[in-house]
Amino acid sequence: MGRLDEQIRFITEIGRLKGVLRQTMLAGPGRRENSAEHSWHLAVMAQTLAEHAPPGTDIGRVTAMVLVHDLVEIDAGDLFVYADAAQQARQEEAERAAADRIFALLPEERRTPEARFARALDRLQPMLENLKAGGGTWREHGITADQVLAKVVLIEDGSPALGRYARDLVQRAVRDGLLAPAPGPG
C-alpha cells in the first residue's frame, strides 16, 4: 500500500468520528452533539479566542491538536466529563488502546502552552452549550456548581482570562437556575 493509500485509509477511518455522540445537547437542533462537530467547534474557538492564550502560544498547533484530540472516541466512545474516577480510569485505558490503533501516539500531553490552551477550550465549549441548552446535561445529570468549578481549574490552567470568564458563567448559571448550587456544608 502506498503512502496516499494509507492517508486515504486514515481519512476514511476518522470520518467515523461523526457517528460518535457526546453527552452535550445542542440547543437549536435539540439533539446530542457528535464528536466531529465538537472538534470543529474547538478549532474555531482556538482561532477566535487566540488573543486569550498565553503569550507565545502557537495557535496553529492548538488548532491541529483540538482537531485530532477526540479521534480516540472512535473506539473508546465519549465519557461524561463528570464521570466517577473508576469510569475515568477505564476510559483512559480504552483511549490509550485507541490511540495506539489509530495513530500510534496521541500528541496531547498537556505540557505545552498549546496543549493546555487546547484543553481549556475543550472544557469551555461544553459549558457554553449547556448554557444555550437551558442547563442541558447539567440538569439532566444533577451536576452542581462545585463539579463544574473543578473543571474550570483546567480552563484557568490554559488561559487565566477564559478561566475568569468560565467562573463568571458558573455564577450566572446558578443565578439563572440553569445549574444547581454547590451543596452546603454537612
Side-chain angles (χ1 to χ4, degrees), residues 103-125:
F103 38 57
L105 181 63
L106 182 62
E108 190 181 353
E109 297 182 37
R110 295 181 178 92
R111 292 187 182 139
T112 65
E114 292 83 6
R116 288 192 305 273
F117 188 62
R119 181 178 56 182
L121 297 174
D122 189 41
R123 294 297 180 253
L124 178 60
Q125 189 264 346

Side-chain angles (χ1 to χ4, degrees), residues 121-184:
L121 297 174
D122 189 41
R123 294 297 180 253
L124 178 60
Q125 189 264 346
M127 289 178 64
L128 299 173
E129 292 297 337
N130 276 322
L131 288 169
K132 287 192 309 187
T137 53
W138 291 337
R139 292 179 116 174
E140 180 181 335
H141 293 279
I143 300 303
T144 58
D146 58 315
Q147 291 173 288
V148 178
L149 288 170
K151 305 302 179 187
V152 168
V153 171
L154 301 174
I155 298 171
E156 291 169 329
D157 181 52
S159 169
L162 294 180
R164 287 188 298 275
Y165 183 78
R167 284 192 180 277
D168 183 55
L169 286 179
V170 170
Q171 289 178 349
R172 285 188 281 165
V174 170
R175 181 195 68 214
D176 295 345
L178 304 176
L179 177 64

Side-chain angles (χ1 to χ4, degrees), residues 11-21 31-37 71 74:
I11 290 167
T12 301
E13 178 65 16
I14 66 171
R16 293 180 50 211
L17 194 62
K18 294 179 256 183
V20 177
L21 296 180
R31 63 170 174 81
R32 296 206 184 279
E33 175 183 51
N34 72 49
S35 287
E37 292 169 320
L71 290 180
I74 292 169

